[in-house]
């Protein structure tokens, strides 16, 4: 069973609402995870290496100020739709919807104010925390009131993220966490000598604006 602690991480600037941002610390014998109510951000993930020492293996900031400025979605939940929607347009039930364009000709990770930039309502669980928010009909151009629950649980050395959504209208949704990992740990120079193996029979090529070619 993980230990769960709740504390204040900082306060949003007045121009962004001025609300308090909380931090939730999940801790087991082999892992410690810090999660913010802003964007459900994984701010730190400390785990044991082969030497038995703990090291933070995700990229993030020590203060709230870093997250209120422009950054590449460090550790956040992105949505309604992760990745890019070409030209910010899609058609559902015969109706075309136009989204805000925030990545050249495309809409990226939910638009100008996606799920990574909003405060979520937390509910502490015995071994984690469940975050909730209502994305209202028309937010960033998407149809339908969308209720979203993102649950983080820690069991031993396993951090699990569960996503659940309920909508009042048909709408595209594709939720994910956008953490950047450096398995060598905080303070190491880079990841250029890391190797990754993906067991796949094929891959999806993209064009110059990172939209799948089909």
């Amino acid at each position: 069973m993980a230990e769960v602690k709740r504390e204040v991480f900082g306060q949003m600037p007045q121009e962004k609402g001025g609300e308090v941002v909380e931090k939730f610390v999940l801790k087991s014998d082999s892992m410690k995870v810090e999660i913010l109510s802003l964007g459900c951000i994984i701010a730190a993930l400390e785990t044991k290496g082969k030497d038995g020492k703990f090291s933070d293996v995700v990229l993030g900031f020590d203060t709230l100020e870093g997250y209120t400025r422009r950054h590449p979605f460090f550790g956040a939940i992105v949505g309604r739709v992760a990745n890019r929607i070409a030209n910010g347009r899609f058609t559902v039930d015969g109706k075309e919807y136009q989204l805000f364009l925030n990545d050249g000709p495309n809409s990226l990770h939910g638009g100008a104010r996606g799920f990574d930039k909003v405060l979520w309502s937390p509910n502490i669980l015995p071994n984690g925390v469940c975050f909730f928010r209502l994305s209202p009909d028309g937010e960033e151009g998407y149809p339908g009131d969308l209720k979203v629950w993102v649950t983080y649980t820690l069991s031993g050395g396993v951090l699990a993220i569960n996503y659940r959504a309920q909508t009042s209208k048909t709408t595209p949704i594709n939720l994910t966490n956008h953490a950047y990992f450096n398995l060598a740990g905080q303070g190491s120079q880079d990841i250029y000598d890391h190797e990754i193996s993906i067991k796949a029979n094929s891959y999806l090529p993209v064009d110059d604006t990172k939209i799948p070619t089909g």
Side-chain angles (χ1 to χ4, degrees), residues 33-113:
V33 187
E34 298 179 1
I35 308 163
L36 308 183
S37 57
L38 173 65
C40 301
I41 289 170
I42 297 178
L45 194 163
E46 296 183 13
T47 187
K48 285 183 179 179
K50 293 180 179 179
D51 58 3
K53 296 180 180 179
F54 280 87
S55 184
D56 185 4
V57 296
V58 299
L59 302 187
F61 301 102
D62 294 328
T63 64
L64 179 60
E65 185 179 15
Y67 293 108
T68 58
R69 296 176 176 178
R70 184 178 177 86
H71 66 91
F73 304 94
F74 280 147
I77 295 298
V78 290
R80 290 185 186 188
V81 174
N83 215 334
R84 293 159 179 83
I85 294 180
N87 303 311
R89 289 197 299 268
F90 62 88
T91 301
V92 173
D93 296 333
K95 181 178 178 179
E96 184 176 85
Y97 293 87
Q98 178 64 58
L99 308 176
F100 183 83
L101 304 181
N102 63 326
D103 184 61
N106 307 317
S107 181
L108 173 67
H109 295 335
R113 191 170 183 263

Side-chain angles (χ1 to χ4, degrees), residues 126-199:
N127 63 335
V129 57
C130 178
F131 295 95
F132 169 81
R133 84 170 297 253
L134 170 64
S135 174
D137 186 14
E139 184 174 57
E140 293 296 322
Y142 288 93
D145 290 328
L146 184 74
K147 297 178 180 179
V148 184
W149 296 262
V150 179
T151 303
Y152 292 85
T153 53
L154 180 62
S155 178
V158 177
L159 174 67
I161 309 175
N162 180 271
Y163 308 91
R164 186 163 71 94
Q166 184 181 68
T167 181
S168 63
K169 296 180 182 177
T170 302
T171 184
I173 182 168
N174 178 34
L175 302 172
T176 192
N177 180 275
H178 205 284
Y180 291 78
F181 287 87
N182 183 346
L183 300 183
Q186 187 177 31
S188 62
Q189 292 184 347
D190 54 49
I191 63 170
Y192 296 134
D193 61 347
H194 292 197
E195 294 183 1
I196 184 171
S197 177
I198 300 175
K199 295 182 179 180

